[in-house]
């Protein structure tokens, strides 16, 4: 899924995993409400933001739009992973 190599020491938040699994919009909204900082947090193995992971996994337009709304800086950050 492009964000986890099986190591337990990875900085992986629930939002990273959820963005790889085509979540219902309400699920992602709930995760963002609980921890809004997660939208702009890179996971530690490939240095990817939730937006990168969602795009890699062909998430819906609504999911991408929600991630961009809450993490506007993500639009200008390259996926270097």
């Amino acid at each position: 899924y492009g964000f986890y190599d099986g190591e337990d020491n990875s900085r992986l938040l629930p939002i990273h995993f959820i963005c790889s699994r085509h979540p219902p919009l309400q699920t992602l909204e709930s995760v963002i409400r609980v921890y809004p900082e997660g939208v702009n947090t890179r996971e530690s193995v490939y240095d990817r933001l939730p937006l990168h992971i969602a795009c890699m996994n062909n998430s819906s337009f609504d999911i991408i739009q929600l991630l961009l709304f809450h993490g506007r800086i993500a639009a200008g950050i390259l996926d270097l992973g």
Side-chain angles (χ1 to χ4, degrees):
Y1 299 101
F3 63 90
Y4 182 63
D5 68 355
E7 297 290 325
D8 286 338
N9 60 354
S10 175
R11 183 181 65 232
L12 181 67
L13 298 175
I15 194 169
H16 295 110
F17 181 75
I18 288 167
C19 285
S20 74
R21 298 301 198 165
H22 304 278
L25 189 62
Q26 297 80 7
T27 300
L28 185 56
E29 287 172 333
S30 295
V31 169
I32 292 171
R33 192 174 323 109
V34 170
Y35 190 66
E37 297 85 359
V39 173
N40 293 313
T41 302
R42 294 174 179 261
E43 52 78 30
S44 60
V45 175
Y46 296 103
D47 210 28
R48 290 185 172 126
L49 292 166
L51 176 65
H52 298 146
I53 296 167
C55 289
M56 287 177 56
N57 289 282
N58 299 313
S59 290
S60 70
F61 175 78
D62 291 338
I63 294 294
I64 302 300
Q65 188 175 34
L66 181 65
L67 290 168
L68 287 171
F69 178 80
H70 289 282
R72 289 183 179 91
I73 65 164
I77 297 176
L78 294 176
D79 177 1
L80 302 175

Coordinates of all heavy atoms in Angstrom, one line a residue:
Y1 N 0.8 -1.2 0.0 CA 0.0 0.0 0.0 C 0.9 1.3 0.0 O 0.3 2.3 0.0 CB -1.0 0.0 1.2 CG -1.9 -1.2 1.1 CD1 -1.7 -2.3 1.9 CD2 -3.0 -1.1 0.2 CE1 -2.6 -3.4 1.8 CE2 -3.9 -2.2 0.2 CZ -3.7 -3.3 0.9 OH -4.5 -4.4 0.9
G2 N 2.2 1.1 0.0 CA 3.0 2.2 -0.1 C 3.3 3.1 1.1 O 3.6 4.2 1.0
F3 N 3.2 2.5 2.3 CA 3.4 3.3 3.5 C 4.0 2.5 4.6 O 4.3 3.1 5.6 CB 2.2 4.0 3.9 CG 1.1 3.1 4.3 CD1 0.9 2.7 5.6 CD2 0.2 2.6 3.4 CE1 -0.1 1.8 6.0 CE2 -0.9 1.8 3.8 CZ -1.0 1.3 5.1
Y4 N 4.1 1.2 4.6 CA 4.4 0.4 5.7 C 5.3 -0.7 5.3 O 4.9 -1.5 4.4 CB 3.2 -0.1 6.5 CG 3.4 -0.8 7.7 CD1 4.0 -0.3 8.8 CD2 3.0 -2.2 7.8 CE1 4.3 -1.0 9.9 CE2 3.2 -2.9 9.0 CZ 3.9 -2.3 10.0 OH 4.1 -3.0 11.2
D5 N 6.4 -0.9 6.0 CA 7.3 -2.0 5.6 C 7.3 -3.2 6.6 O 8.2 -4.0 6.5 CB 8.7 -1.5 5.4 CG 9.4 -1.0 6.7 OD1 8.7 -1.0 7.8 OD2 10.5 -0.7 6.7
G6 N 6.4 -3.2 7.5 CA 6.3 -4.3 8.5 C 7.0 -4.1 9.8 O 7.0 -4.9 10.6
E7 N 7.7 -2.9 9.9 CA 8.4 -2.6 11.1 C 7.5 -2.0 12.1 O 6.7 -1.1 11.8 CB 9.6 -1.7 10.8 CG 10.7 -2.3 9.9 CD 11.4 -3.4 10.6 OE1 11.7 -3.3 11.8 OE2 11.8 -4.4 9.9
D8 N 7.6 -2.4 13.4 CA 6.8 -1.8 14.4 C 7.2 -0.4 14.8 O 6.4 0.3 15.4 CB 6.8 -2.7 15.7 CG 6.0 -3.9 15.5 OD1 5.1 -3.9 14.6 OD2 6.3 -4.9 16.2
N9 N 8.4 0.0 14.4 CA 8.9 1.4 14.8 C 8.5 2.4 13.8 O 8.9 3.6 13.9 CB 10.4 1.4 15.0 CG 11.2 1.0 13.8 OD1 10.6 0.6 12.8 ND2 12.5 1.1 13.8
S10 N 7.6 2.1 12.9 CA 7.2 3.1 11.9 C 6.2 4.1 12.5 O 5.4 3.7 13.4 CB 6.4 2.3 10.7 OG 5.9 3.3 9.8
R11 N 6.3 5.3 12.2 CA 5.4 6.3 12.7 C 4.2 6.3 11.7 O 4.1 7.0 10.7 CB 6.0 7.7 12.7 CG 5.1 8.8 13.2 CD 5.7 10.2 13.2 NE 5.9 10.6 11.9 CZ 7.1 11.1 11.4 NH1 8.1 11.2 12.2 NH2 7.2 11.5 10.2
L12 N 3.2 5.5 12.1 CA 2.1 5.2 11.2 C 0.8 5.6 12.0 O 0.6 5.0 13.1 CB 2.0 3.8 10.8 CG 0.9 3.4 9.9 CD1 1.0 4.0 8.5 CD2 0.9 1.9 9.7
L13 N 0.1 6.5 11.5 CA -1.1 6.9 12.2 C -2.3 6.2 11.6 O -2.3 5.8 10.4 CB -1.3 8.5 12.1 CG -0.3 9.3 12.7 CD1 -0.5 10.8 12.4 CD2 -0.2 9.1 14.2
P14 N -3.5 6.2 12.3 CA -4.7 5.6 11.7 C -5.0 6.2 10.4 O -5.5 5.5 9.5 CB -5.7 5.8 12.8 CG -5.0 5.8 14.1 CD -3.7 6.5 13.7
I15 N -4.8 7.5 10.2 CA -5.2 8.2 9.0 C -4.4 7.6 7.8 O -5.0 7.5 6.7 CB -5.1 9.7 9.1 CG1 -5.8 10.4 7.9 CG2 -3.7 10.1 9.2 CD1 -6.0 11.8 8.1
H16 N -3.2 7.2 8.0 CA -2.4 6.7 6.9 C -3.0 5.3 6.4 O -3.2 5.1 5.2 CB -0.9 6.4 7.3 CG -0.2 7.7 7.7 ND1 0.1 8.0 8.9 CD2 0.2 8.7 6.9 CE1 0.7 9.2 8.9 NE2 0.8 9.6 7.7
F17 N -3.3 4.5 7.4 CA -3.9 3.2 7.0 C -5.3 3.4 6.4 O -5.6 2.8 5.4 CB -4.0 2.3 8.3 CG -4.6 1.0 8.0 CD1 -3.8 0.0 7.4 CD2 -5.9 0.7 8.3 CE1 -4.4 -1.2 7.1 CE2 -6.5 -0.6 8.0 CZ -5.7 -1.5 7.4
I18 N -6.1 4.2 7.0 CA -7.4 4.4 6.5 C -7.4 5.0 5.0 O -8.2 4.5 4.2 CB -8.2 5.4 7.4 CG1 -8.6 4.7 8.7 CG2 -9.5 6.0 6.7 CD1 -9.0 5.6 9.8
C19 N -6.5 5.8 4.7 CA -6.4 6.4 3.4 C -6.0 5.4 2.3 O -6.1 5.6 1.1 CB -5.4 7.6 3.4 SG -6.1 9.1 4.1
S20 N -5.5 4.3 2.8 CA -5.1 3.2 1.8 C -6.3 2.2 1.5 O -6.1 1.4 0.7 CB -3.9 2.4 2.4 OG -4.3 1.5 3.4
R21 N -7.4 2.4 2.2 CA -8.4 1.4 2.2 C -9.8 1.9 1.6 O -10.8 1.3 1.9 CB -8.7 0.9 3.6 CG -7.5 0.1 4.1 CD -7.1 -1.0 3.2 NE -6.3 -1.9 3.9 CZ -6.0 -3.1 3.4 NH1 -6.6 -3.5 2.3 NH2 -5.3 -3.9 4.0
H22 N -9.8 3.0 0.9 CA -11.1 3.6 0.4 C -12.1 3.7 1.4 O -13.2 3.1 1.4 CB -11.6 2.7 -0.8 CG -10.6 2.5 -1.8 ND1 -10.3 3.4 -2.8 CD2 -9.7 1.5 -2.1 CE1 -9.4 3.0 -3.6 NE2 -8.9 1.9 -3.2
P23 N -11.9 4.5 2.4 CA -12.8 4.7 3.5 C -14.1 5.4 3.1 O -14.1 6.2 2.2 CB -12.1 5.5 4.6 CG -11.2 6.4 3.7 CD -10.8 5.5 2.5
P24 N -15.2 5.2 3.9 CA -16.3 6.1 3.7 C -15.9 7.5 4.2 O -15.1 7.6 5.1 CB -17.4 5.5 4.7 CG -16.9 4.1 5.0 CD -15.4 4.1 4.8
L25 N -16.5 8.5 3.5 CA -16.1 9.8 3.8 C -16.3 10.1 5.3 O -15.5 10.8 5.9 CB -17.0 10.8 3.0 CG -16.6 12.3 3.0 CD1 -15.2 12.5 2.5 CD2 -17.6 13.1 2.2
Q26 N -17.4 9.6 5.9 CA -17.7 9.9 7.3 C -16.6 9.3 8.2 O -16.3 9.9 9.3 CB -19.0 9.3 7.7 CG -20.2 9.9 7.0 CD -20.4 9.4 5.6 OE1 -19.7 8.4 5.2 NE2 -21.3 10.0 4.9
T27 N -16.0 8.2 7.9 CA -14.9 7.6 8.7 C -13.7 8.5 8.7 O -13.1 8.8 9.7 CB -14.5 6.2 8.1 OG1 -15.7 5.4 8.1 CG2 -13.4 5.6 8.9
L28 N -13.3 9.0 7.5 CA -12.2 9.9 7.4 C -12.4 11.2 8.2 O -11.6 11.8 8.9 CB -11.8 10.1 6.0 CG -10.5 11.0 5.8 CD1 -9.3 10.3 6.5 CD2 -10.2 11.1 4.3
E29 N -13.6 11.7 8.0 CA -14.0 13.0 8.8 C -13.9 12.8 10.3 O -13.4 13.7 11.0 CB -15.5 13.4 8.4 CG -15.6 13.9 7.0 CD -17.1 14.1 6.7 OE1 -18.0 13.4 7.2 OE2 -17.3 15.0 5.8
S30 N -14.3 11.6 10.8 CA -14.2 11.3 12.2 C -12.7 11.3 12.6 O -12.4 11.8 13.7 CB -14.9 10.0 12.5 OG -16.2 10.1 12.3
V31 N -11.9 10.6 11.9 CA -10.5 10.5 12.2 C -9.8 11.9 12.2 O -9.1 12.3 13.1 CB -9.7 9.6 11.2 CG1 -8.2 9.7 11.4 CG2 -10.2 8.2 11.4
I32 N -10.2 12.8 11.2 CA -9.6 14.1 11.2 C -10.1 14.9 12.3 O -9.4 15.7 12.9 CB -9.9 14.8 9.8 CG1 -9.2 14.1 8.7 CG2 -9.6 16.3 9.8 CD1 -9.6 14.5 7.3
R33 N -11.4 14.8 12.7 CA -11.9 15.5 13.8 C -11.2 15.2 15.1 O -10.9 16.1 15.9 CB -13.4 15.2 14.0 CG -14.1 16.1 14.9 CD -15.6 15.9 15.0 NE -16.2 15.6 13.7 CZ -16.7 14.4 13.4 NH1 -16.7 13.4 14.3 NH2 -17.3 14.1 12.2
V34 N -10.8 13.9 15.3 CA -10.2 13.5 16.5 C -8.7 14.0 16.6 O -8.2 14.4 17.6 CB -10.2 12.0 16.7 CG1 -9.4 11.5 17.8 CG2 -11.7 11.5 16.9
Y35 N -8.0 13.9 15.4 CA -6.6 14.3 15.4 C -6.3 15.0 14.1 O -5.7 14.4 13.1 CB -5.7 13.0 15.5 CG -4.2 13.3 15.7 CD1 -3.8 14.0 16.9 CD2 -3.3 13.0 14.7 CE1 -2.5 14.3 17.0 CE2 -2.0 13.3 14.9 CZ -1.6 14.0 16.1 OH -0.2 14.3 16.3
P36 N -6.7 16.3 14.0 CA -6.5 17.0 12.8 C -5.0 17.2 12.3 O -4.8 17.3 11.1 CB -7.1 18.4 13.1 CG -7.2 18.5 14.5 CD -7.3 17.1 15.1
E37 N -4.1 17.1 13.2 CA -2.7 17.2 12.9 C -2.2 16.0 12.0 O -1.2 16.1 11.3 CB -1.8 17.3 14.1 CG -2.0 18.5 15.0 CD -3.2 18.3 16.0 OE1 -3.9 17.2 16.0 OE2 -3.5 19.2 16.7
G38 N -3.0 14.9 12.0 CA -2.6 13.8 11.3 C -2.6 14.0 9.8 O -1.9 13.3 9.0
V39 N -3.4 14.9 9.3 CA -3.5 15.2 7.9 C -2.2 15.7 7.3 O -1.8 15.4 6.2 CB -4.6 16.3 7.6 CG1 -4.6 16.7 6.1 CG2 -6.0 15.7 8.0
N40 N -1.4 16.4 8.1 CA -0.1 16.9 7.7 C 1.1 16.2 8.3 O 2.2 16.7 8.3 CB 0.0 18.4 8.0 CG -1.0 19.2 7.2 OD1 -1.1 19.1 6.0 ND2 -1.7 20.1 7.9
T41 N 0.8 14.9 8.7 CA 1.9 14.1 9.3 C 2.4 13.1 8.3 O 1.6 12.3 7.8 CB 1.4 13.5 10.6 OG1 1.0 14.5 11.5 CG2 2.5 12.6 11.3
R42 N 3.7 13.0 8.1 CA 4.3 12.0 7.2 C 4.5 10.7 8.0 O 4.9 10.8 9.2 CB 5.6 12.5 6.7 CG 5.5 13.7 5.7 CD 6.9 14.2 5.4 NE 6.8 15.3 4.5 CZ 7.0 15.2 3.1 NH1 7.2 14.0 2.6 NH2 7.0 16.2 2.4
E43 N 4.3 9.6 7.4 CA 4.6 8.3 8.0 C 6.2 8.2 7.8 O 6.8 8.9 7.0 CB 3.9 7.1 7.4 CG 3.9 7.0 5.9 CD 5.2 6.4 5.4 OE1 5.8 5.6 6.1 OE2 5.5 6.8 4.3
S44 N 6.8 7.4 8.7 CA 8.2 7.4 8.8 C 9.0 6.5 7.8 O 10.2 6.7 7.7 CB 8.7 7.1 10.2 OG 8.2 5.8 10.6
V45 N 8.4 5.6 7.1 CA 9.1 4.7 6.3 C 9.4 5.4 4.9 O 10.5 5.5 4.4 CB 8.4 3.4 6.2 CG1 9.2 2.5 5.2 CG2 8.4 2.7 7.5
Y46 N 8.3 5.8 4.2 CA 8.4 6.4 2.9 C 8.2 7.9 2.9 O 8.2 8.5 1.9 CB 7.4 5.7 2.0 CG 7.7 4.3 1.8 CD1 6.9 3.3 2.4 CD2 8.7 3.9 0.9 CE1 7.2 2.0 2.2 CE2 9.0 2.5 0.7 CZ 8.2 1.6 1.4 OH 8.5 0.3 1.2
D47 N 8.0 8.5 4.1 CA 7.8 9.9 4.3 C 6.6 10.4 3.5 O 6.6 11.5 3.0 CB 9.1 10.6 3.8 CG 9.3 11.9 4.6 OD1 8.9 12.0 5.7 OD2 9.9 12.8 4.0
R48 N 5.5 9.7 3.5 CA 4.3 10.1 2.8 C 3.2 10.6 3.7 O 3.0 10.2 4.8 CB 3.7 8.9 2.0 CG 4.6 8.5 0.9 CD 4.0 7.4 0.0 NE 4.8 7.1 -1.1 CZ 5.3 6.0 -1.5 NH1 5.0 4.9 -0.8 NH2 6.1 5.9 -2.6
L49 N 2.5 11.6 3.1 CA 1.4 12.2 3.8 C 0.1 11.3 3.5 O 0.1 10.6 2.5 CB 1.1 13.6 3.3 CG 2.2 14.7 3.7 CD1 2.0 15.9 2.8 CD2 2.1 15.0 5.1
P50 N -0.9 11.5 4.3 CA -2.1 10.8 4.0 C -2.6 11.0 2.6 O -3.1 10.1 1.9 CB -3.1 11.3 5.0 CG -2.3 11.6 6.2 CD -1.0 12.1 5.6
L51 N -2.5 12.3 2.1 CA -2.9 12.6 0.7 C -2.1 11.8 -0.3 O -2.7 11.3 -1.3 CB -2.6 14.1 0.4 CG -2.9 14.6 -1.0 CD1 -4.4 14.4 -1.3 CD2 -2.5 16.0 -1.2
H52 N -0.8 11.6 -0.1 CA 0.0 10.8 -1.0 C -0.6 9.3 -1.1 O -0.7 8.8 -2.2 CB 1.4 10.7 -0.6 CG 2.1 12.0 -0.6 ND1 3.1 12.4 0.3 CD2 2.0 13.1 -1.4 CE1 3.5 13.6 0.1 NE2 2.9 14.1 -0.9
I53 N -0.9 8.8 0.1 CA -1.3 7.4 0.2 C -2.7 7.3 -0.5 O -3.0 6.3 -1.2 CB -1.4 7.0 1.7 CG1 0.1 6.9 2.2 CG2 -2.0 5.6 1.8 CD1 0.2 6.8 3.7
A54 N -3.6 8.3 -0.2 CA -4.9 8.2 -0.8 C -4.8 8.3 -2.4 O -5.5 7.6 -3.1 CB -5.8 9.4 -0.3
C55 N -3.9 9.2 -2.9 CA -3.8 9.3 -4.3 C -3.2 8.0 -4.9 O -3.7 7.5 -6.0 CB -2.9 10.4 -4.7 SG -3.7 12.0 -4.4
M56 N -2.2 7.4 -4.2 CA -1.6 6.1 -4.7 C -2.6 5.0 -4.8 O -2.5 4.1 -5.6 CB -0.5 5.7 -3.8 CG 0.7 6.5 -3.8 SD 1.9 5.9 -2.6 CE 2.1 4.2 -3.1
N57 N -3.6 5.1 -4.0 CA -4.6 4.0 -3.9 C -5.9 4.4 -4.6 O -7.0 3.8 -4.3 CB -4.8 3.6 -2.4 CG -3.6 2.9 -1.9 OD1 -3.5 1.7 -2.2 ND2 -2.8 3.5 -1.2
N58 N -5.9 5.4 -5.4 CA -7.1 5.8 -6.2 C -8.3 6.1 -5.4 O -9.4 5.6 -5.7 CB -7.4 4.7 -7.3 CG -6.2 4.5 -8.2 OD1 -5.7 5.5 -8.7 ND2 -5.9 3.3 -8.5
S59 N -8.1 6.8 -4.4 CA -9.3 7.2 -3.5 C -10.2 8.1 -4.3 O -9.8 8.7 -5.3 CB -8.8 7.9 -2.3 OG -8.1 7.0 -1.4
S60 N -11.4 8.2 -3.8 CA -12.4 9.0 -4.4 C -12.1 10.5 -4.4 O -11.3 10.9 -3.6 CB -13.8 8.8 -3.8 OG -13.8 9.4 -2.5
F61 N -12.7 11.2 -5.3 CA -12.6 12.7 -5.3 C -12.9 13.3 -4.0 O -12.2 14.2 -3.5 CB -13.4 13.3 -6.4 CG -13.4 14.8 -6.5 CD1 -12.3 15.4 -7.0 CD2 -14.4 15.5 -5.9 CE1 -12.3 16.8 -7.0 CE2 -14.4 16.9 -6.0 CZ -13.3 17.6 -6.5
D62 N -14.0 12.8 -3.3 CA -14.4 13.4 -2.1 C -13.4 13.2 -1.0 O -13.2 14.1 -0.2 CB -15.7 12.7 -1.6 CG -16.9 13.1 -2.5 OD1 -16.8 14.1 -3.1 OD2 -17.9 12.3 -2.5
I63 N -12.7 12.1 -1.0 CA -11.6 11.8 0.0 C -10.5 12.8 -0.2 O -9.9 13.4 0.7 CB -11.1 10.3 -0.1 CG1 -12.3 9.4 0.4 CG2 -9.9 10.1 0.8 CD1 -12.7 9.5 1.8
I64 N -10.0 12.9 -1.5 CA -8.9 13.8 -1.8 C -9.3 15.2 -1.5 O -8.5 16.0 -0.9 CB -8.6 13.7 -3.3 CG1 -8.2 12.2 -3.7 CG2 -7.5 14.7 -3.7 CD1 -7.0 11.7 -3.0
Q65 N -10.5 15.6 -1.8 CA -11.0 17.0 -1.5 C -11.0 17.2 0.0 O -10.5 18.3 0.4 CB -12.4 17.2 -2.1 CG -12.9 18.6 -2.0 CD -14.2 18.7 -2.7 OE1 -15.0 17.8 -2.7 NE2 -14.4 19.9 -3.3
L66 N -11.4 16.3 0.8 CA -11.4 16.4 2.2 C -10.0 16.6 2.8 O -9.7 17.4 3.6 CB -12.1 15.2 2.9 CG -12.2 15.3 4.4 CD1 -13.1 16.4 4.9 CD2 -12.7 13.9 4.9
L67 N -9.1 15.8 2.3 CA -7.7 15.8 2.8 C -7.1 17.2 2.4 O -6.3 17.8 3.2 CB -6.9 14.7 2.2 CG -7.2 13.3 2.7 CD1 -6.5 12.2 1.9 CD2 -6.8 13.2 4.2
L68 N -7.4 17.7 1.2 CA -6.8 19.0 0.8 C -7.4 20.1 1.6 O -6.8 21.1 1.9 CB -7.1 19.2 -0.7 CG -6.2 18.4 -1.6 CD1 -6.7 18.5 -3.1 CD2 -4.7 18.8 -1.5
F69 N -8.7 20.0 1.9 CA -9.4 21.0 2.7 C -8.7 21.2 4.1 O -8.5 22.3 4.5 CB -10.9 20.8 2.8 CG -11.6 21.8 3.7 CD1 -12.0 23.0 3.1 CD2 -11.9 21.5 5.0 CE1 -12.6 23.9 3.9 CE2 -12.5 22.5 5.8 CZ -12.9 23.7 5.2
H70 N -8.4 20.1 4.7 CA -7.9 20.1 6.0 C -6.4 20.2 6.1 O -5.8 20.5 7.1 CB -8.3 18.8 6.8 CG -9.8 18.9 7.2 ND1 -10.3 19.6 8.2 CD2 -10.9 18.3 6.6 CE1 -11.6 19.5 8.3 NE2 -12.0 18.7 7.3
G71 N -5.7 19.9 5.0 CA -4.3 19.9 4.9 C -3.8 20.6 3.6 O -3.1 20.0 2.8
R72 N -4.1 21.9 3.5 CA -3.8 22.6 2.3 C -2.3 22.6 1.9 O -2.0 22.6 0.8 CB -4.3 24.0 2.4 CG -5.8 24.1 2.4 CD -6.3 25.6 2.5 NE -7.7 25.6 2.4 CZ -8.5 25.6 3.5 NH1 -8.0 25.5 4.7 NH2 -9.8 25.6 3.4
I73 N -1.5 22.5 2.9 CA 0.0 22.5 2.6 C 0.4 21.2 1.9 O 1.4 21.2 1.1 CB 0.9 22.7 3.8 CG1 0.7 21.6 4.8 CG2 0.6 24.0 4.5 CD1 1.8 21.5 5.9
A74 N -0.4 20.2 2.0 CA -0.1 18.9 1.4 C -0.1 19.0 -0.1 O 0.7 18.2 -0.8 CB -1.1 17.8 1.9
A75 N -0.8 19.9 -0.7 CA -0.9 20.0 -2.1 C 0.4 20.4 -2.7 O 0.7 20.0 -3.9 CB -2.0 21.0 -2.5
G76 N 1.3 21.0 -2.0 CA 2.6 21.5 -2.5 C 3.7 20.6 -2.1 O 4.9 21.0 -2.3
I77 N 3.5 19.5 -1.4 CA 4.6 18.6 -0.9 C 4.7 17.4 -1.8 O 3.7 16.7 -2.0 CB 4.3 18.2 0.5 CG1 4.3 19.5 1.4 CG2 5.4 17.3 1.0 CD1 3.9 19.2 2.9
L78 N 5.9 17.2 -2.4 CA 6.1 16.1 -3.2 C 6.2 14.8 -2.4 O 6.7 14.8 -1.3 CB 7.5 16.3 -4.0 CG 7.5 17.4 -5.0 CD1 9.0 17.5 -5.5 CD2 6.5 17.2 -6.1
D79 N 5.8 13.7 -3.1 CA 5.9 12.4 -2.6 C 7.3 11.9 -3.0 O 7.6 11.6 -4.1 CB 4.9 11.5 -3.1 CG 5.0 10.0 -2.6 OD1 5.9 9.7 -1.9 OD2 4.2 9.2 -3.1
L80 N 8.2 11.8 -2.0 CA 9.6 11.4 -2.3 C 9.9 10.0 -2.1 O 11.0 9.5 -2.2 CB 10.6 12.3 -1.5 CG 10.5 13.8 -1.7 CD1 11.4 14.5 -0.8 CD2 10.7 14.2 -3.2
G81 N 8.8 9.2 -1.6 CA 8.9 7.8 -1.3 C 9.0 6.9 -2.4 O 9.4 6.5 -3.3

